Amino acid sequence: EDMALDLLPPQKEETLKGEIQNRPDVELAKQKVLMAELEKKINLGEHYPSLSLQGSWGYQAKEQEDLLESRSSNHTVSLNLRIPLFSGLTSLAKRRADEAKILAAKMNLRHLQDQSTMEIKNTEQKFNQAQLVLFANKKWSQEAQKAINKGLRSYKLGVISSFQVVQLQKGYEGAAMSYWQSLQSYYKEKMAWVVARGIPLKQFF
């Protein structure tokens, strides 16, 4: 039975960028950028004026029996303005630290995206190579199987010796071993290619 090759064609950069977004590590790096930006906004908000509305309601009386009287009710509403004091170098240092954290997160994201692109390209190349080796070893195994079958028939007819049959048997065993090793390598490289693209294994196999 012949084995058909299904080599992967080189992918366009746009396709690679889309596949990279599926990777959990890239998604985590993106979230870290968002968290760093949010942390900067929170820290920066501490230095802005703020308004707060506060209110209270209850009863107040000198005597306990007068607490529930309507004239004893008491309520207050207040609007508070909070103006933080200028913290000088402290706020400036915090702002610079937040900006540096955002920059580091973005650089890490870009580095991870570039690294992911290279991983996809490398795993594609190895997957294609594994297919070629598997294809060649499959053919070799098939030919070795035919040779040993033909050799056994010839031996029964007295055409070849038992030594030649042993040699054919060793050749077949070597070809079969190479085939199974290349099959294992094929699935290993296929899985590495799937993982590099961020595809859940259960959706692919």
Side-chain angles (χ1 to χ4, degrees):
E1 181 182 354
D2 291 335
M3 177 181 177
L5 283 172
D6 187 22
L7 299 180
L8 301 173
Q11 296 191 48
K12 297 181 179 180
E13 291 297 326
E14 293 78 9
T15 304
L16 286 174
K17 289 179 180 179
E19 291 185 344
I20 287 172
Q21 306 309 315
N22 297 325
R23 291 175 54 121
D25 52 351
V26 173
E27 180 62 30
L28 178 60
K30 290 164 59 178
Q31 293 300 321
K32 288 183 177 180
V33 172
L34 295 177
M35 290 299 296
E37 292 175 341
L38 179 60
E39 185 177 350
K40 177 185 176 182
K41 290 181 180 180
I42 293 175
N43 291 335
L44 194 60
E46 296 177 356
H47 302 282
Y48 288 148
S50 61
L51 286 173
S52 63
L53 183 65
Q54 295 179 340
S56 63
W57 177 81
Y59 290 89
Q60 184 176 8
K62 294 183 179 179
E63 302 295 335
Q64 183 176 357
E65 58 270 13
D66 296 333
L67 278 177
L68 299 181
E69 297 292 334
S70 59
R71 64 176 182 274
S72 300
S73 64
N74 179 49
H75 62 275
T76 59
V77 177
S78 62
L79 183 65
N80 299 322
L81 172 63
R82 175 178 174 271
I83 303 179
L85 296 176
F86 178 66
S87 55
L89 296 178
T90 302
S91 60
L92 181 61
K94 182 180 293 186
R95 186 178 306 161
R96 288 179 177 176
D98 290 337
E99 291 174 353
K101 191 173 182 178
I102 294 174
L103 179 60
K106 289 182 176 180
M107 290 179 62
N108 179 67
L109 175 59
R110 286 194 294 269
H111 172 73
L112 190 57
Q113 289 172 334
D114 293 340
Q115 182 179 357
S116 300
T117 301
M118 292 303 302
E119 285 183 11
I120 293 178
K121 292 181 178 180
N122 290 337
T123 53
E124 283 180 354
Q125 183 179 2
K126 290 181 179 180
F127 181 38
N128 284 337
Q129 183 64 30
Q131 286 193 75
L132 292 172
V133 174
L134 178 61
F135 181 79
N137 284 333
K138 178 69 174 180
K139 287 290 187 181
W140 179 24
S141 178
Q142 291 173 339
E143 294 300 322
Q145 179 68 66
K146 293 177 182 178
I148 187 63
N149 292 339
K150 182 178 179 181
L152 290 173
R153 290 194 296 268
S154 298
Y155 175 73
K156 291 179 181 179
L157 296 174
V159 178
I160 63 174
S161 64
S162 59
F163 175 78
Q164 291 173 303
V165 173
V166 171
Q167 295 303 311
L168 290 172
Q169 179 67 28
K170 288 182 178 180
Y172 168 72
E173 291 175 354
M177 181 64 69
S178 295
Y179 167 71
W180 288 112
Q181 289 176 344
S182 60
L183 185 62
Q184 180 182 10
S185 178
Y186 165 80
Y187 282 113
K188 176 184 176 182
E189 298 302 340
K190 183 177 184 179
M191 183 174 293
W193 171 65
V194 171
V195 171
R197 296 172 61 200
I199 301 177
L201 297 181
K202 64 179 181 180
Q203 295 182 13
F204 197 85
F205 290 96

